[in-house]
Amino acid sequence: QSLGNCVWFAIPILVGSHTFLAETVKPSPATATPAMMRSPHPQNATISTMPPEAQGDRLMVNGNYVAAIAAYQQSSLRSAATWNKIGVAYHHLFALEEARKNYQMALTLNPRYPDALNNLAAVYHGERKYKKAEKTYMRALKYGPHSAVAYRNLGTAYFSEGNYKEGAKAYQKALELNPNSFDPDQTEVI
């Protein structure tokens, strides 16, 4: 599903011995500049010809999180999606406090933003604040009830606390929504 100028997909984040899925971005044709559109290989367009947010998206996909943060900070910071993207970049750098601040800023702009809620919950989980993580995953599911990623993460939070019955239910729901939810190479479109 396209959100703004990007296509969202889930990627795993390793925190301690647990893997969580955070929403991240992949450049979409909507972020292409005229120079990129003229190129027979738009993916080969120079990053400097792209708008800042598109630059950040490209850098994120390539794993250059520090440069992605800098690019996103040069774009319009009036979008909850942009603040969420900055949070994801910090999350990949294991800078959980910075990730949290950016997810919270996204939620200040849009309190019903399920991707930012899911990502904020992943921060809480990484800090072993399981009850807070569960509550935040549930809020994410309130506004994004068809997110297999959020159900999978919620199940992982339940299992972390030893609540196997609820964990199994959440995992089952994730599988109902996306039978490939647990494939290691899965890039689930949100």
Side-chain angles (χ1 to χ4, degrees):
Q1 174 179 14
S2 184
L3 298 172
N5 290 335
C6 59
V7 177
W8 291 87
F9 66 98
I11 60 166
I13 293 178
L14 182 63
V15 178
S17 61
H18 298 287
T19 301
F20 303 93
L21 294 176
E23 312 304 329
T24 191
V25 295
K26 175 181 172 187
S28 73
T31 62
T33 64
M36 292 171 65
M37 296 303 284
R38 287 190 298 270
S39 169
H41 303 289
Q43 67 275 13
N44 294 332
T46 63
I47 199 161
S48 64
T49 63
M50 303 167 123
E53 190 162 354
Q55 289 178 21
D57 292 349
R58 173 74 58 86
L59 293 162
M60 284 284 284
V61 169
N62 292 326
N64 194 342
Y65 306 118
V66 173
I69 291 166
Y72 289 135
Q73 290 173 336
Q74 297 299 313
S75 68
S76 170
L77 294 176
R78 294 176 296 206
S79 161
T82 302
W83 286 101
N84 186 60
K85 292 175 190 183
I86 295 169
V88 169
Y90 277 117
H91 211 141
H92 282 286
L93 294 169
F94 297 101
L96 296 184
E97 186 57 36
E98 288 301 316
R100 175 199 336 268
K101 288 177 188 176
N102 285 278
Y103 297 145
Q104 288 171 332
M105 188 62 190
L107 292 168
T108 298
L109 294 171
N110 181 358
R112 297 176 179 203
Y113 190 24
D115 298 338
L117 286 164
N118 175 71
N119 295 339
L120 180 60
V123 168
Y124 295 143
H125 192 142
E127 297 171 334
R128 301 180 194 270
K129 296 176 183 173
Y130 302 124
K131 289 291 185 194
K132 198 168 188 176
E134 291 166 13
K135 187 183 279 190
T136 308
Y137 285 131
M138 293 301 287
R139 274 186 60 210
L141 288 165
K142 177 180 177 182
Y143 302 117
H146 303 293
S147 174
V149 169
Y151 275 108
R152 178 181 168 178
N153 288 346
L154 176 62
T156 301
Y158 283 138
F159 279 116
S160 295
E161 281 196 308
N163 187 344
Y164 304 114
K165 182 177 178 182
E166 291 302 315
K169 284 182 189 177
Y171 276 5
Q172 182 60 41
K173 184 65 176 179
L175 287 168
E176 287 172 17
L177 291 168
N178 179 353
N180 301 314
S181 295
F182 293 87
D183 291 352
D185 297 328
Q186 175 68 27
T187 55
E188 179 176 322
V189 176
I190 303 300

